[in-house]
Every structure is written in structure tokens, then in C-alpha cells.
Amino acid sequence: MQKQVLIAGGGIGGLAAALGSSRAGWEVRLFERAAEFTEVGAGVQIGPNVVRRLQAWGLQGALQAVAAFPERLQVRSALTGAELAALRLGNTAIERYGAAYATIHRADLHGLLLDALRERTGVHLNLGHSIVHHAQDGGVVTVRVARHGPGSDSEGGAQDLLIEGDALIGADGLRSGTRMRLLGETPTRVSGHLAYRAVVRQDALPQALRSQQVTAWLGPRLHVVQYPLRRGELLNVVAIRHGQPPADLDSWDHGANAADLEAALARTCTPLQDLIRAVPQAGSGWRLWPLLDRPPVAGPQEMAQGVVALLGDAAHPM
């Protein structure tokens, strides 16, 4: 009989696990708490190992349509602007590793995985549902699934379902319920790093600030990374500095972050400061993300136990 994998979470990791499982011949039931599939964040760099996997899944064309493929990665001093190191990408990466180095908007990567899944039979994508309990016995895992949204009882009850599977993958993020049930309650840690993220249209930037390569600016207690997205039409900028997050992010005025960031970069070189100042005018402005993590996993027993495994931020947040 066909085996069935249950997946908690419909982010990039959960969708990738679903697609890989489906292509391996498993039936897939994925449960995502949100009412619709969305991907929060900005850009992500994907190395040749990831690109090779997407190619094996038949997604080279879809990737080519939405990603950028930088020819070069450079590291520069944030204080002086001097180039510290450089790495050739483009054809060099293809020749050396068998696939390209790509940069892509997280929403675009999420979207191409979702489109591929919707074309496959035996894949059941359940929005507005979350796995609230699991138990395994004799190679079978049973989950209790709660339905969310209008008319549902978020505390459980009549809306809950019991579903059996042959494996469970917890791809349910930093505050993973699967992880908590597997390893016990462990609080997240404030990393002491604040990430300011922005995506801007390249044609809205001055010519001197446009770029089709990856640049990492390194400075004391801060670094900034920039790279192209969406065929090079967009520029992703992430600035990370040491600092404590505001007490209440829900009421935090994200629009006010530009002044804080400019103050933190006051000693950096002119080209970097010009880029940071251009972001609010060329795009929708900065968004603040305090970075949280957990203690490193102690070993493989914290990644998988029996037929239950953790994936992505549920296992090893960065």
C-alpha cells in the first residue's frame, strides 16, 4: 500500500518536503494553520546544491523565470568600502558544482513549489488546519488536527480530526509545536541581532547604486548584504546590527527604523550610507526583524525520533 507522510507547516521547507515525498511515491497530507499560502520575508540565496534539487524536480524553467543568477560575490569593508575578497559565480559555479548560484525572492520560491504540488495527484493541502498533538506507536504516527477560521472551535472539540500516517515532518517554524512535543518546552533566545530588510526596484535607484552581484559589507557589530532578485529587477538589502529588540513589536513603528539604522551605520563608508538612505525612497521602506534562535541541537536524536522528524527552523533556526 502507498505510504502517507503528514507535514506540519506550509512554508518553503514544508512545501519542499511535500514535493520530494510525492515524487518518491508517498501520499502527502500537509496542514497549514494560515487561511492562505503566503511567504513572509524578502530574498534568499540558494547554492548549487539547492538548484540541482530544483532541477531534478523539473523546476529549472520555473526557477529561470523568477530568479537572478549573479556573476560575482564580493566582500567589502563597511568602513572603507575596500574590496576584501571576491568569488566568481555564474558559469564558474556551473562548471565547478554542476549548477548555478541563484538569488530569489522567498515568495517566488514558495510559489514555484506550490504550483508544482498543485499539479500532482495524491497531495492534499489543508489550509486553516494545524496539528495540535501527535503520538507514534509501532511505526505509525497519529495526529490530532484542529481546524481554524470562521465557525471552528480553536480550543478543539467537534472540529478536531484524528489522522494516521507513516511519518510526520514538523516544518512548523521557530515556535514548532512538533518540536515541543518531541523535545519538551525550550524557550527561544534573543540573539542580540536586529535585521532590517528591504526590497527595492533597481530602476528607482540611482545608477551608481544598482547592482547585479552579491555584496556583503562587513563592519564592527554590523554587516549588510545586497543582491538582485526577480531577474535582476529588484534589489534585496539586509542590514544586521547588534542591539536589543523593542519591547512590543506589535505596536512598533517600523517606519521609524530608518533613523535607527542610519545612526548605527554613521561611521561606515559613503557608498554604503548612500544605499541605506536610498531604500525608503526607492521602495516601501525597512522592516525590522529581531533574530531569535535556539541552542544548537545536541545530536541526531533531536532531529528525528522514530517516524517523526524536524525540518528547517523547527530543527535548527539560524
Side-chain angles (χ1 to χ4, degrees):
M1 292 179 62
Q2 187 179 35
K3 290 195 171 186
Q4 176 170 262
V5 61
L6 312 175
I7 299 176
I12 289 172
L15 294 189
L19 184 55
S21 299
S22 173
R23 293 182 62 90
W26 288 54
E27 186 170 3
V28 176
R29 294 189 182 276
L30 181 147
F31 303 94
E32 166 55 47
R33 182 185 183 93
E36 60 182 336
F37 284 111
T38 58
E39 178 56 37
V40 177
V44 61
Q45 302 180 59
I46 54 177
N49 55 331
V50 180
V51 173
R52 280 199 303 269
R53 177 51 43 203
L54 295 174
Q55 290 170 338
W57 289 344
L59 298 176
Q60 173 64 24
L63 177 67
Q64 203 81 30
V66 295
F69 299 90
E71 293 290 330
R72 189 172 183 268
L73 182 154
Q74 68 167 346
V75 180
R76 297 178 67 176
S77 166
L79 297 182
T80 68
E83 183 174 277
L84 305 177
L87 177 68
R88 285 182 294 174
L89 302 175
N91 288 333
T92 301
I94 296 172
E95 293 166 3
R96 182 173 294 172
Y97 304 113
Y101 192 99
T103 53
I104 188 170
H105 198 294
R106 293 180 65 92
D108 292 339
L109 179 56
H110 188 271
L112 66 86
L113 292 170
L114 183 59
D115 289 345
L117 278 170
R118 284 172 168 161
E119 294 178 357
R120 300 191 63 81
T121 58
V123 174
H124 311 277
L125 304 176
N126 302 280
L127 291 166
H129 291 77
S130 63
I131 294 174
V132 295
H133 182 74
H134 79 263
Q136 55 178 318
D137 181 35
V140 174
V141 60
T142 302
V143 302
R144 180 158 58 90
V145 177
R147 178 184 166 200
H148 306 278
S152 65
D153 179 3
S154 61
E155 299 300 320
Q159 299 291 345
D160 285 12
L161 305 169
L162 290 177
I163 300 173
E164 286 189 351
D166 299 284
L168 168 63
I169 297 175
D172 41 352
L174 178 71
R175 297 178 177 86
S176 165
T178 311
R179 179 192 177 106
M180 183 186 70
R181 293 188 296 273
L182 208 62
L183 304 178
E185 185 77 60
T186 55
T188 57
R189 307 185 303 188
V190 175
S191 70
H193 294 88
L194 303 178
Y196 298 76
R197 294 181 170 138
V199 176
V200 299
R201 291 195 58 83
Q202 298 249 32
D203 60 11
L205 291 170
Q207 186 67 44
L209 297 179
R210 301 174 193 178
S211 175
Q212 296 298 327
Q213 66 179 9
V214 181
T215 300
W217 305 79
L218 304 185
R221 300 177 62 83
L222 62 90
H223 68 274
V224 179
V225 181
Q226 64 179 82
Y227 51 84
L229 303 174
R230 203 164 291 164
R231 302 169 299 275
E233 298 164 14
L234 305 176
L235 187 67
N236 183 63
V237 185
V238 182
I240 298 180
R241 70 176 182 91
H242 289 206
Q244 292 301 308
D248 183 4
L249 276 178
D250 292 334
S251 62
W252 183 251
D253 179 10
H254 292 272
N257 294 334
D260 296 340
L261 182 57
E262 288 182 26
L265 271 64
R267 294 173 50 233
T268 61
C269 63
T270 299
L272 179 54
Q273 291 196 46
D274 288 345
L275 173 65
I276 297 304
R277 292 193 186 99
V279 164
Q281 286 74 40
S284 57
W286 297 99
R287 302 296 291 177
L288 174 62
W289 299 71
L291 301 183
L292 305 179
D293 67 0
R294 294 182 181 279
V297 293
Q301 75 280 2
E302 293 195 356
M303 300 282 285
Q305 295 180 8
V307 295
V308 180
L310 302 175
L311 181 153
D313 280 353
H316 44 71
M318 294 183 291

